[in-house]
Amino acid sequence: MRILTLFLLLNSSALVAQIFPPTSYPQGYFRDPLEIPIRLAGNFGELRPNHYHMGLDIKTNARENLPVYVAADGYISRIKIEPYGFGRAIYITHPNGFTTVYAHLNAFNPTLEKWVKDQQYQQQSWKVFLELTPDLFPVKKGDFLANSGNTGGSQAPHLHFEVRRSDGDVNVNPFLFGFQIPDNVPPQLQRLAIYDRTRSVYEQSPRLFPVKAYSGSTYISTPSVITVSSPLISFAIGAYDTQTGSTNHNGIYESTLTIDDQPVVAFRMDNISYNDTRDLNAHIDYKNKAQGGPFLQHLSELPGYTNAIYKCKNGNGAIDVSDGVVHTVSIQVKDASGNISTLGCKVRFIKGSQAPAPAGKPFYPQMMDGLENPECEFFLGERCLYDSVHIRYIKSANSNAHVVSSIHTIGAAYIPIRDSMLVRIQPVRTLTDAERSRTVMQWFAGTKSEVQKVQWQGNWASARFRDMGSFQLVLDIEPPAIAPVGFANGADLSKAARLTFKVTDNLEEIKNVKTELDGKWLRFSNDKGEIFIYQFDEKCMAGQHELKIRAEDEAGNVTAKTYNFTR
């Protein structure tokens, strides 16, 4: 084992170089976007639900409203304001071919803030995605851009910062641009997983093996020689990275698998497009995570994973061990600062019994297919599945008076799909035209649910979803509820700083909300989709006023309320 370990340490860098070509990015071109040392709450490629983390989450000392500065000369090219996701975000395009993104912001610099407000009033929408010409807002490196915040999908104050290639809008790991982020800590390995690749990864549970540090950043599995009963196997790892002075468990940058001193497959978190970020679900053991297990990162490429982060020398990373001899395995894990950890073990095939084929119809990646039943049909496109899998269909009764179909369970929620699948359901009774207009399709799995407005084709109701699980048709005749917060009709608000109200719905799906003050659209923010807030400004001067609020849910039910107040 000592000889094996020494060999791995001496040769690991050379093996990686055989798979990934060297890269070069401008060093020192971008300044830190804050004036405090960079400490990370999240890094590029970190594993998140249904997506990779596509930038750096920079801590702001648990505070909001730290000044955020322009990283390099350029111009503001896009601005996004939305209730979730980035919240309030600014994109700056630079002449060197890259774009930087600053997200979860509070107020922009005053000139930009006023311009954005004018655009929102012109579009009569608080939620906007604005594209700007280069002449509107040119900026210089170090200019004050905005205040940091906690808007959108943020769970605590921080700055989300990205670097993208402007051509193609592909995100690049900001670590590669020479930012001053101290890091002399190698990644930590936690566990090793082995899969039987004669079967779908969604129709098995991996064999998990603990790992322990052997010497410094070198690890061995327990046991050191692992016997497997499948002639074709693949590996996955549980690992995380930290930076100097930090205890945050962040994502790893790179991992390489070698068998008998030959590189087989590797992945690297350096270039990922938002078009492909959902493919994280093919990079991890999605079933294991969905069922409450830890993140496991595959060291093989699933057959339906296109534009993958992997590079394979031969095949897809699955290993043929049918010869029955002992094979030496080395797994190297690396962070973007060059710190390396290595795991070594040995595997040997001993023939065993094979599991029976699961129930359900087999479906395959890169093939269009479906299943038709008297009351339910579903269809998967070529880009839906990552791996082959048997999909079961089950129909069950529903006693809820507002549910007008049977419950149709398609597959399982632990089978990920990339593109949406088409689901068609027939109601169990004839619906009137009015009822059809208020019918939605509901997906649910565990405590999660989603509804979509249906399209009718004869007696079939159709909708698209990006998850498997259970589906039913719901007749929704209950309109949204509007509730003012801190004021009532006829209130004196001369000393108030803002107007606030909430909108709720029985199916938790609000399609749109419109607000008017004295017959003119009024801008209410809706950060995190929780409450609607209007800060009193020049749009509401002293005097008597009438506020109208109209809310519509996904089924088309509408509630409208009018409040009079005094300023």
Side-chain angles (χ1 to χ4, degrees):
M1 180 58 72
R2 290 183 181 277
I3 295 175
L4 169 64
T5 301
L6 181 60
F7 175 84
L8 293 174
L9 289 174
L10 291 175
N11 291 276
S12 56
S13 296
L15 292 173
V16 173
Q18 294 177 41
I19 293 184
F20 284 111
T23 57
S24 177
Y25 296 93
Q27 303 296 295
Y29 185 90
F30 298 114
R31 61 152 285 171
D32 295 354
L34 299 173
E35 282 192 332
I36 59 174
I38 294 181
R39 296 185 304 117
L40 297 183
N43 64 353
F44 185 88
E46 190 168 306
L47 310 177
R48 302 285 177 87
N50 289 318
H51 69 283
Y52 293 105
H53 188 243
M54 303 287 274
L56 302 180
D57 279 351
I58 304 174
K59 294 182 178 182
T60 55
N61 296 333
R63 295 168 47 202
E64 297 185 33
N65 296 318
L66 269 64
V68 177
Y69 298 97
V70 174
D73 293 0
Y75 69 95
I76 296 175
S77 53
R78 283 177 277 178
I79 293 172
K80 177 184 284 189
I81 298 177
E82 58 187 346
Y84 303 104
F86 280 172
R88 293 169 57 89
I90 296 173
Y91 300 63
I92 297 177
T93 297
H94 306 282
N96 69 339
F98 292 94
T99 295
T100 51
V101 183
Y102 315 74
H104 307 311
L105 302 169
N106 282 343
F108 304 153
N109 75 57
T111 303
L112 183 61
E113 186 72 31
K114 181 183 182 304
W115 183 85
V116 170
K117 180 179 178 179
D118 291 342
Q119 300 304 306
Q120 290 173 314
Y121 271 92
Q122 286 182 25
Q123 297 188 19
Q124 294 192 7
S125 176
W126 168 75
K127 180 181 177 180
V128 291
F129 185 50
L130 308 170
E131 298 197 45
L132 289 68
T133 55
D135 58 300
L136 275 177
F137 287 99
V139 291
K140 292 291 186 180
K141 185 175 187 176
D143 283 353
F144 169 66
L145 186 64
N147 289 325
S148 68
N150 185 31
T151 57
S154 172
Q155 302 299 310
H158 72 280
L159 173 67
H160 176 85
F161 177 74
E162 296 181 359
V163 180
R164 303 182 184 183
R165 289 203 307 269
S166 301
D167 182 13
D169 218 25
V170 175
N171 289 54
V172 182
N173 194 328
F175 254 102
L176 305 176
F177 291 84
F179 289 101
Q180 297 301 307
I181 309 174
D183 184 11
N184 57 14
V185 182
Q188 305 292 305
L189 283 150
Q190 298 171 295
R191 55 188 61 87
L192 175 69
I194 298 181
Y195 297 81
D196 174 1
R197 290 306 292 275
T198 66
R199 304 162 55 200
S200 168
V201 295
Y202 309 122
E203 296 172 351
Q204 62 181 291
S205 295
R207 293 179 64 195
L208 295 176
F209 300 91
V211 299
K212 62 180 181 180
Y214 175 71
S215 174
S217 57
T218 303
Y219 295 76
I220 58 172
S221 67
T222 304
S224 57
V225 179
I226 298 170
T227 59
V228 296
S229 59
S230 171
L232 189 67
I233 63 173
S234 65
F235 296 89
I237 54 169
Y240 66 90
D241 190 35
T242 62
Q243 284 75 47
T244 300
S246 172
T247 59
N248 285 75
H249 288 197
N250 298 329
I252 61 175
Y253 171 64
E254 182 181 283
S255 186
T256 303
L257 169 70
T258 65
I259 303 293
D260 299 328
D261 306 338
Q262 297 301 312
V264 175
V265 62
F267 67 80
R268 176 183 283 177
M269 305 288 189
D270 56 356
N271 290 267
I272 303 174
S273 166
Y274 269 100
N275 293 330
D276 304 319
T277 189
R278 188 177 174 89
D279 289 335
L280 164 124
N281 293 335
H283 174 61
I284 66 169
D285 184 336
Y286 187 89
K287 177 185 177 184
N288 182 73
K289 184 61 180 174
Q291 294 183 328
F295 276 120
L296 297 171
Q297 297 177 253
H298 284 300
L299 284 164
S300 65
E301 187 176 83
L302 298 184
Y305 186 4
T306 57
N307 299 319
I309 62 172
Y310 296 92
K311 288 192 179 297
C312 303
K313 295 298 287 186
N314 291 294
N316 63 0
I319 310 302
D320 184 349
V321 292
S322 60
D323 55 15
V325 303
V326 176
H327 294 274
T328 300
V329 179
S330 171
I331 298 173
Q332 180 196 88
V333 181
K334 183 179 179 181
D335 65 26
S337 297
N339 302 297
I340 296 173
S341 294
T342 304
L343 166 65
C345 70
K346 299 186 178 188
V347 295
R348 181 184 180 188
F349 168 64
I350 298 178
K351 186 174 182 179
S353 59
Q354 296 298 305
K361 176 182 174 179
F363 285 76
Y364 303 94
Q366 302 181 31
M367 291 183 63
M368 186 180 297
D369 203 351
L371 188 64
E372 299 178 357
N373 292 281
E375 293 181 31
C376 176
E377 302 174 345
F378 67 91
F379 302 92
L380 299 174
E382 296 176 353
R383 288 165 51 84
C384 278
L385 290 177
Y386 293 116
D387 198 6
S388 60
V389 65
H390 290 77
I391 297 177
R392 296 182 64 191
Y393 163 76
I394 301 172
K395 185 184 82 169
S396 53
N398 197 318
S399 59
N400 189 319
H402 295 291
V403 177
V404 293
S405 73
S406 302
I407 300 173
H408 303 279
T409 301
I410 300 170
Y414 59 71
I415 303 172
I417 54 177
R418 188 185 195 278
D419 288 353
S420 60
M421 67 175 181
L422 176 65
V423 181
R424 288 162 46 88
I425 297 176
Q426 290 205 57
V428 293
R429 64 175 176 84
T430 301
L431 303 181
T432 66
D433 289 344
E435 288 175 325
R436 287 160 70 102
S437 70
R438 293 291 184 266
T439 298
V440 295
M441 189 180 298
Q442 183 181 43
W443 163 86
F444 58 95
T447 59
K448 299 179 180 179
S449 69
E450 178 188 352
V451 301
Q452 296 283 350
K453 184 70 173 177
V454 299
Q455 298 293 321
W456 287 96
Q457 297 171 306
N459 202 40
W460 288 96
S462 302
R464 289 186 172 274
F465 293 85
R466 296 185 76 177
D467 292 281
M468 295 189 185
S470 297
F471 301 85
Q472 61 187 10
L473 296 179
V474 180
L475 177 57
D476 182 13
I477 57 174
E478 184 177 337
I482 299 172
V485 178
F487 75 97
N489 189 38
D492 181 354
L493 300 179
S494 57
K495 295 183 179 180
R498 65 184 192 177
L499 277 171
T500 303
F501 67 90
K502 295 182 67 173
V503 177
T504 56
D505 184 65
N506 60 313
L507 294 180
E508 300 181 355
E509 293 285 349
I510 303 297
K511 185 176 182 179
N512 59 61
V513 174
K514 184 177 181 180
T515 53
E516 290 184 341
L517 184 70
D518 303 327
K520 295 181 179 180
W521 184 81
L522 187 66
R523 185 187 67 166
F524 277 76
S525 64
N526 184 220
D527 188 56
K528 303 186 190 304
E530 296 173 349
I531 59 175
F532 292 80
I533 299 174
Y534 163 66
Q535 303 284 349
F536 282 116
D537 60 8
E538 76 283 355
K539 302 292 183 179
C540 183
M541 306 302 287
Q544 299 290 321
H545 296 282
E546 180 184 75
L547 174 67
K548 291 184 177 180
I549 305 172
R550 183 184 185 276
E552 181 183 5
D553 66 16
E554 195 65 36
N557 300 297
V558 174
T559 296
K561 289 193 174 183
T562 299
Y563 300 93
N564 294 290
F565 65 91
T566 303
R567 276 291 288 163

